[in-house]
Amino acid sequence: MVDFKNNIHAFEDKSNTDLFRAWILFKTISNPIISKILTKLLQIALLFHLPITFLIKISIFKHFCGGENIEECKKTIDKLWDSRIGSILDYSAEGKESENDFKQVYEQGMKILETSKNNEKIPFIVFKLTGLIQFKILHKINNNQMLNDEEQKIYNSFINRINLICEQAQIINTPVFIDAEESWIQGAIDKIVLALMKKYNQKQVLVYNTLQMYRNDRLMYLDKIIDTARRERFKLGFKLVRGAYHEKEIERAKEKGYKIPVHLKKGDTDKDFNKSLEICLNNIDLISICSGTHNIKSSEYLISLIKEKGLENNDKRIFSSQLLGMSDNISYNLAKEGYNVSKYVPYGPVREVIPYLIRRAEENRSITGQMGRELQNIITEQNRRKRG
Ligand SMILES: Cc1cc2nc3c(=O)[nH]c(=O)nc-3n(C[C@H](O)[C@H](O)[C@H](O)COP(=O)(O)OP(=O)(O)OC[C@H]3O[C@@H](n4cnc5c(N)ncnc54)[C@H](O)[C@@H]3O)c2cc1C
């Protein structure tokens, strides 16, 4: 079994100063009141264009992001690769609405592909579909509503861009992850990604959809899509996650009066996440996976499944992934034992990345949040170093 408590490996490329900076950051955002004030400040800075980007850049941005552009990320990419951890560059511009913004996300995607050509340090590229098309159009498609002429034109151009990305990805052999989003547009995303999987996953897995296992219908969906793929002879790729919009999902369902689509007990999400790992590993001839989690028990469960099935640690169909600046104890210890590991490396102009940073700070406020874990690991390592 991999020892996820081994902080020596987890922090081997962090100096005492790095650790101290991380300690200050997590100590600050671990305090619910300060964290609330900080996220409000970030929102205000975003709204009123306050000139505090420099402050953000040397603090929270430095910890969670690779840089403002791909060039700036190269140091992080190299450093991670020294420990055999790949980077998934994630251009983190969110909530975009204009054609110019979508074009920019598309162009960044093409640049990432160029950078990943013959470059094992960048094993995947990733997209949020709402970075490439308006949310409201995906919402209409989700609800089987007709698009007007203008929307149809935008939709066609979006489909064209996604296909260009997949074609390029296929040429250079870099698989594409599509992130999962809110349940009220996820049906549209699933439909689009299914069509891409049918088209590009004929021989090997190029396109991965994301399954949020906090959803109470995802195991059923997984079973159904396995049947479809076996019948229609294409391969499946899934990034498995628990899901990032838990509170929002519950709030909206209550407000609009429909059945809550997510589990209400953390234990049920955990059970479904582990079950999805099991189902995928039972169908490993068909499915490639990326286990996107910071949860130690699920990471241990994946390892036990790999062993049970007699697969190699570095079986190319199985990856684990964590976010940059989080759960290094999982990433570094898995990589040390030869498992395939990658980190999401978000990048973009500081202002654009603020919503992502707010989410990282907010996670602290949920009872099961990450920061307690992160802070604990940092303190344990600091104490170990003090003791020599
Ligand atoms: C590489 C990577 C890629 C990701 N991509 C996506 C993505 O495309 N889309 C997306 O939505 N998220 C994505 N996430 C975020 C992910 O969904 C989780 O929010 C985050 O990783 C925390 O879950 P965990 O498995 O790490 O561990 P844990 O900390 O063990 O679990 C926390 C999660 O449990 C669930 N949960 C919390 N409370 C309850 C409750 N009361 N009842 C039921 N469930 C509860 C929530 O999903 C919460 O996020 C990604 C994460 C990673 C590491």
Side-chain angles (χ1 to χ4, degrees):
M1 221 6 113
V2 177
D3 179 11
F4 290 118
K5 292 209 174 82
N6 185 330
N7 285 322
I8 304 178
H9 293 156
F11 296 112
E12 66 190 359
D13 62 3
K14 307 283 181 301
S15 65
N16 289 342
T17 317
D18 291 336
L19 273 185
F20 182 64
R21 198 187 310 111
W23 178 80
I24 293 183
L25 177 70
F26 282 109
K27 190 82 186 151
T28 310
I29 51 185
S30 287
N31 180 313
I33 298 170
I34 299 180
S35 168
K36 246 185 189 150
I37 296 172
L38 193 80
T39 47
K40 266 275 157 305
L41 264 177
L42 285 173
Q43 278 157 349
I44 292 168
L46 190 64
L47 205 66
F48 295 105
H49 299 262
L50 298 185
I52 60 164
T53 45
F54 176 71
L55 273 180
I56 299 172
K57 189 162 181 183
I58 59 166
S59 55
I60 188 165
F61 181 93
K62 189 173 167 68
H63 188 83
F64 290 113
C65 300
E68 293 206 62
N69 50 51
I70 297 176
E71 202 47 45
E72 276 184 27
C73 291
K74 286 192 173 153
K75 227 167 113 185
T76 303
I77 297 170
D78 288 341
K79 198 167 167 186
L80 287 171
W81 191 247
D82 285 343
S83 302
R84 286 295 174 271
I85 295 172
S87 294
I88 305 175
L89 292 174
D90 180 17
Y91 182 62
S92 291
E94 298 182 13
K96 295 297 168 198
E97 289 295 319
S98 76
E99 167 57 20
N100 249 353
D101 293 327
F102 301 141
K103 190 161 161 262
Q104 201 180 352
V105 171
Y106 164 74
E107 284 169 359
Q108 283 296 323
M110 284 302 194
K111 272 194 198 152
I112 297 172
L113 280 174
E114 217 176 283
T115 317
S116 79
K117 194 172 169 187
N118 300 324
N119 185 351
E120 55 184 350
K121 299 174 193 171
I122 302 176
F124 302 98
I125 68 158
V126 62
F127 283 96
K128 262 197 171 49
L129 290 194
T130 49
L132 290 162
I133 189 168
Q134 287 162 7
F135 191 99
K136 70 167 193 216
I137 297 186
L138 288 177
H139 192 210
K140 270 190 154 180
I141 294 167
N142 195 79
N143 296 352
N144 294 322
Q145 283 172 271
M146 285 283 285
L147 301 181
N148 63 35
D149 288 350
E150 182 56 25
E151 288 167 340
Q152 189 63 49
K153 223 173 82 192
I154 295 172
Y155 182 71
N156 293 346
S157 135
F158 153 78
I159 292 292
N160 185 38
R161 278 184 185 151
I162 299 215
N163 275 291
L164 289 172
I165 288 166
C166 290
E167 278 160 24
Q168 187 56 23
Q170 196 164 43
I171 292 168
I172 63 165
N173 205 12
T174 301
V176 183
F177 288 166
I178 309 288
D179 276 348
E181 306 192 46
E182 289 86 344
S183 62
W184 52 103
I185 57 164
Q186 189 59 40
I189 296 173
D190 289 342
K191 221 188 288 179
I192 294 162
V193 184
L194 179 58
L196 293 172
M197 287 208 264
K198 284 184 185 179
K199 185 167 174 187
Y200 294 100
N201 291 4
Q202 287 294 329
K203 291 202 185 89
Q204 58 188 67
V205 180
L206 185 82
V207 179
Y208 287 65
N209 201 3
T210 301
L211 296 182
Q212 295 156 313
M213 300 314 301
Y214 64 15
R215 291 265 308 259
N216 44 36
D217 63 349
R218 291 292 91 172
L219 286 180
M220 234 159 52
Y221 177 79
L222 181 56
D223 278 343
K224 212 172 104 196
I225 203 166
I226 289 173
D227 271 358
T228 312
R230 290 218 181 274
R231 228 183 17 256
E232 299 184 26
R233 293 173 187 278
F234 65 94
K235 293 201 178 253
L236 296 168
F238 287 118
K239 170 157 61 82
L240 303 170
V241 301
R242 279 180 169 73
Y245 311 97
H246 193 251
E247 284 174 25
K248 200 170 168 188
E249 290 287 350
I250 296 172
E251 265 169 34
R252 185 175 191 270
K254 281 186 179 163
E255 192 188 302
K256 302 217 174 251
Y258 60 84
K259 187 171 165 275
I260 296 173
V262 294
H263 289 303
L264 298 178
K265 290 192 200 129
K266 171 76 164 54
D268 289 337
T269 300
D270 293 344
K271 219 160 74 195
D272 278 12
F273 185 92
N274 288 356
K275 186 73 194 168
S276 70
L277 287 174
E278 196 183 310
I279 294 173
C280 290
L281 271 272
N282 285 342
N283 290 278
I284 199 69
D285 59 311
L286 180 79
I287 309 178
S288 294
I289 60 158
C290 173
S291 167
T293 185
H294 301 130
N295 185 296
I296 288 184
K297 284 206 174 119
S298 293
S299 304
E300 284 174 345
Y301 188 55
L302 176 61
I303 293 169
S304 70
L305 287 170
I306 293 174
K307 293 222 180 321
E308 190 187 304
K309 306 277 168 210
L311 300 168
E312 298 290 331
N313 289 5
N314 66 348
D315 189 299
K316 64 182 191 330
R317 295 164 295 186
I318 306 169
F319 260 80
S320 286
S321 191
Q322 290 73 43
L323 306 180
L324 183 70
M326 293 179 77
S327 293
D328 285 344
N329 57 321
I330 297 184
S331 315
Y332 283 72
N333 285 308
L334 280 176
K336 205 84 185 170
E337 295 297 324
Y339 292 95
N340 298 316
V341 184
S342 54
K343 288 271 203 195
Y344 261 38
V345 177
Y347 76 94
V350 176
R351 269 186 56 75
E352 302 286 337
V353 179
I354 286 178
Y356 176 85
L357 297 176
I358 290 175
R359 268 211 307 287
R360 297 286 76 78
E362 276 179 349
E363 267 171 351
N364 173 53
R365 274 192 236 133
S366 74
I367 301 161
T368 49
Q370 305 291 325
M371 302 307 172
R373 277 194 302 232
E374 298 301 329
L375 190 58
Q376 196 50 55
N377 285 336
I378 292 164
I379 292 170
T380 309
E381 176 61 5
Q382 282 177 321
N383 288 339
R384 192 193 64 80
R385 288 188 189 183
K386 266 186 217 150
R387 286 196 306 271

